[in-house]
Amino acid sequence: VIQTKNLKKSYVSGEIETIALKGVSVDIKRGEFTAIAGPSGSGKTTFLNIISGLDSQFQGEVTLAGKNITKISKSELSDFRRDHIGFVFQSYNLIPVLTVEENVEYIMLLQNIKKEERKERVISILNEVGLKGFEKRFPSQLSGGQQQRVAVARAIVSNPDIILADEPTANLDSKTGESLLEMMGMLNVEKNITFIFSTHDEKIMRKSKRMIVLKDGEIFQDNNQ
Amino acid sequence: VIQTKNLKKSYVSGEIETIALKGVSVDIKRGEFTAIAGPSGSGKTTFLNIISGLDSQFQGEVTLAGKNITKISKSELSDFRRDHIGFVFQSYNLIPVLTVEENVEYIMLLQNIKKEERKERVISILNEVGLKGFEKRFPSQLSGGQQQRVAVARAIVSNPDIILADEPTANLDSKTGESLLEMMGMLNVEKNITFIFSTHDEKIMRKSKRMIVLKDGEIFQDNNQ
Ligand SMILES: Nc1ncnc2c1ncn2[C@@H]1O[C@H](COP(=O)(O)OP(=O)(O)OP(=O)(O)O)[C@@H](O)[C@H]1O
Ligand SMILES: Nc1ncnc2c1ncn2[C@@H]1O[C@H](COP(=O)(O)OP(=O)(O)OP(=O)(O)O)[C@@H](O)[C@H]1O
Ligand SMILES: [Mg+2]
Ligand SMILES: [Mg+2]
């Protein structure tokens, strides 16, 4: 469902050029439960931002659900992303002026889902991530790990085909992280949702069926091959 | 060096009242290397914000280096904090318009340390946290874990007596996290700096001499007693 061929990316600012990805080729199939691991600065976030269509400045080829994302229009790509991809940012990126409920519901508003169904799904997913009763709070009224779980709930609630999560358990204690992971494992098995996690968490790496290890912008190891 | 007696804290906003700490009494001695553990939402960040003097809205007593912090003036408390406490925020809180070098150097400017010495210490501490050569970058040009390490470098560079770190290794791979921890362990042994970490990282818990576990705003376990 996601292929990259010789993916390269460098960030240029002023005289500084940082090569973040040096030619990453990978083939991820529908229904995979795959971890992207590697040291701090190895290119995990850069990789996820590109394969999700968020970052369009790169060299090489990226194919998403059979479409070459450099060849389709911006609006077709953002419609595809809204309808098929759930994304969890490393820094959560919750909208501060919206409540927890409004943050989680937002994508379903764009998809014209009826109010009753939206409300039902928001309450159910918040309950699943352990945040029952937190609907009316604002992000600034939450702990770090609570904000992180709202970000995960938001990515899952619209039933996407693909969930890309950047460090989804970094601020969670092991019990909370474990139950979150179990929930995502069930979605993967029951609904065949493809999961790709960037992570340092050894629990996620152990639970993943496949692990791709990045090092200095290259694939160091891929236990699928 | 830090005592709390029956520390209570609740956040009130509109009709919602959240009791974050329900009477925490703890005595932390100079030179300790102590972890504060506990589930997401158990009160770790709230506790660190109060004992560092950042949050002055609480009930109960807090004594910092022999002074009752509710009885001293705001300016005396903020001078004390600047000269004696290094703080690592859970969300790093780097200043976006300053470079890495300027972010780390900032406190030493307030302490009127000479330019040559400031520059030397910044280069040395960035090297120690594995970010040699990143001096001129801005926070937005760094990975998550790189920003986190800048936040740790900033807390340590002014040689404080007490370092309070909220989840200092959450976005670091285990090797980078381990070397950071080792560096902090050496500062603790060689300079008798008191370290208090809020953490979910089992490596930090194993390395700590003392662990206080919070649960729902109370002390669940303290292996010092
Ligand atoms: N500004 C705030 N307004 C209202 N409630 C808050 C605020 N900050 C924290 N809380 C609540 O207080 C409780 C304790 O929060 P705290 O941030 O101290 O937990 P924590 O142990 O640091 O959690 P985590 O491991 O997720 O960072 C939580 O239930 C949280 O929702
Ligand atoms: N906006 C940017 N401008 C310049 N350089 C950047 C930018 N974002 C990332 N980089 C650099 O690109 C490299 C890869 O960064 P990336 O964020 O993908 O790493 P990562 O594997 O996600 O790290 P972490 O585990 O610390 O989150 C790093 O060296 C980083 O400094
Ligand atoms: Mg990252
Ligand atoms: Mg916290």
Side-chain angles (χ1 to χ4, degrees):
Chain A
V1 67
I2 298 179
Q3 287 92 32
T4 71
K5 250 186 218 144
N6 209 19
L7 179 58
K8 289 181 186 161
K9 161 82 185 185
S10 53
Y11 295 98
V12 182
S13 117
E15 325 86 67
I16 304 178
E17 183 188 4
T18 304
I19 301 175
L21 297 175
K22 295 174 184 164
V24 174
S25 299
V26 75
D27 186 355
I28 295 172
K29 303 256 180 307
R30 193 170 296 284
E32 280 194 26
F33 200 77
T34 291
I36 313 276
S40 171
S42 54
K44 302 178 297 297
T45 295
T46 303
F47 178 74
L48 284 183
N49 288 349
I50 291 173
I51 62 171
S52 65
L54 281 167
D55 177 0
S56 55
Q57 300 207 309
F58 57 88
Q59 295 86 45
E61 255 180 57
V62 177
T63 311
L64 200 52
K67 290 180 183 151
N68 182 328
I69 60 175
T70 44
K71 299 248 171 17
I72 61 178
S73 73
K74 277 246 177 261
S75 61
E76 194 185 341
L77 181 57
S78 72
D79 285 356
F80 180 85
R81 204 171 50 237
R82 183 196 61 213
D83 293 339
H84 296 280
I85 300 179
F87 198 91
V88 183
F89 292 86
Q90 188 162 2
S91 56
Y92 323 149
N93 280 14
L94 298 178
I95 300 171
V97 294
L98 297 183
T99 63
V100 164
E101 189 175 35
E102 291 164 346
N103 264 282
V104 174
E105 184 187 36
Y106 189 73
I107 292 174
M108 291 189 291
L109 273 173
L110 301 179
Q111 294 171 329
N112 295 321
I113 293 179
K114 282 206 195 62
K115 184 170 182 183
E116 231 174 83
E117 189 180 347
R118 285 193 328 250
K119 294 293 169 205
E120 230 177 77
R121 282 209 226 164
V122 168
I123 288 177
S124 146
I125 192 72
L126 284 176
N127 190 24
E128 281 198 61
V129 299
L131 291 178
K132 193 173 172 187
F134 282 74
E135 288 80 11
K136 306 289 181 208
R137 286 215 203 170
F138 290 92
S140 63
Q141 297 173 328
L142 300 174
S143 78
Q146 290 166 345
Q147 291 175 42
Q148 189 165 32
R149 284 180 276 162
V150 172
V152 170
R154 175 178 65 177
I156 287 179
V157 77
S158 57
N159 274 332
D161 304 314
I162 301 166
I163 292 180
L164 305 176
D166 200 346
E167 299 284 349
T169 61
N171 272 285
L172 299 178
D173 56 295
S174 52
K175 215 168 133 217
T176 309
E178 204 111 27
S179 63
L180 203 74
L181 204 51
E182 231 152 79
M183 178 193 74
M184 296 201 266
M186 272 175 54
L187 285 174
N188 170 249
V189 170
E190 289 174 2
K191 295 188 180 168
N192 208 31
I193 295 176
T194 306
F195 279 85
I196 305 174
F197 305 98
S198 140
T199 187
H200 295 307
D201 184 336
E202 274 135 29
K203 278 189 301 300
I204 291 193
M205 292 181 213
R206 274 196 297 269
K207 266 230 154 98
S208 304
K209 292 170 203 154
R210 176 182 182 185
M211 187 160 87
I212 298 169
V213 182
L214 294 183
K215 196 175 172 192
D216 286 333
E218 290 179 288
I219 293 184
F220 175 72
Q221 194 188 327
D222 180 353
N223 64 4
N224 197 51
Q225 283 160 348
Chain B
V1 67
I2 298 179
Q3 287 91 34
T4 72
K5 252 187 218 143
N6 209 20
L7 179 58
K8 290 181 185 160
K9 162 81 187 185
S10 51
Y11 295 98
V12 182
S13 115
E15 323 87 67
I16 303 179
E17 184 188 6
T18 304
I19 301 175
L21 296 175
K22 295 174 184 164
V24 174
S25 300
V26 75
D27 186 357
I28 295 172
K29 303 254 182 303
R30 194 171 296 282
E32 281 196 23
F33 201 78
T34 291
I36 313 277
S40 170
S42 55
K44 301 179 296 298
T45 293
T46 303
F47 179 73
L48 284 182
N49 288 350
I50 291 172
I51 63 173
S52 65
L54 281 167
D55 178 1
S56 55
Q57 300 206 309
F58 57 87
Q59 294 87 47
E61 256 181 55
V62 176
T63 311
L64 200 54
K67 289 178 185 156
N68 182 328
I69 59 176
T70 44
K71 300 247 168 23
I72 61 178
S73 71
K74 277 248 177 259
S75 61
E76 193 184 343
L77 181 57
S78 72
D79 284 358
F80 180 84
R81 201 171 53 235
R82 182 195 63 212
D83 293 339
H84 296 279
I85 300 180
F87 199 93
V88 182
F89 292 86
Q90 190 163 1
S91 55
Y92 323 149
N93 281 14
L94 298 179
I95 300 171
V97 294
L98 297 183
T99 64
V100 164
E101 191 175 35
E102 291 165 346
N103 264 282
V104 174
E105 186 186 35
Y106 188 72
I107 292 174
M108 291 189 289
L109 271 175
L110 301 180
Q111 294 172 331
N112 296 321
I113 292 179
K114 282 205 195 62
K115 184 170 182 184
E116 232 174 83
E117 189 180 346
R118 286 194 326 250
K119 294 292 170 208
E120 231 176 76
R121 281 211 224 162
V122 168
I123 289 176
S124 145
I125 192 73
L126 284 176
N127 189 22
E128 280 197 61
V129 298
L131 291 179
K132 191 174 175 187
F134 282 75
E135 287 78 13
K136 306 290 181 208
R137 288 217 202 166
F138 289 91
S140 64
Q141 296 172 328
L142 299 174
S143 79
Q146 289 167 343
Q147 291 176 45
Q148 188 164 33
R149 283 180 278 163
V150 173
V152 171
R154 177 178 64 177
I156 286 178
V157 78
S158 58
N159 273 331
D161 303 315
I162 302 167
I163 292 179
L164 305 177
D166 201 345
E167 300 284 349
T169 60
N171 272 283
L172 300 177
D173 56 292
S174 56
K175 215 167 131 218
T176 308
E178 203 111 24
S179 63
L180 202 73
L181 203 53
E182 230 152 80
M183 178 195 72
M184 295 201 268
M186 272 174 56
L187 284 175
N188 170 249
V189 170
E190 288 174 3
K191 295 189 180 166
N192 208 30
I193 295 176
T194 307
F195 279 85
I196 305 173
F197 305 98
S198 140
T199 187
H200 295 303
D201 184 337
E202 274 135 30
K203 276 189 303 301
I204 290 193
M205 291 181 213
R206 274 196 297 271
K207 265 230 156 98
S208 303
K209 293 170 202 154
R210 176 181 183 186
M211 188 161 87
I212 298 169
V213 181
L214 294 183
K215 197 174 170 192
D216 287 333
E218 290 178 290
I219 292 183
F220 176 71
Q221 193 187 328
D222 179 354
N223 65 2
N224 196 50
Q225 283 161 349

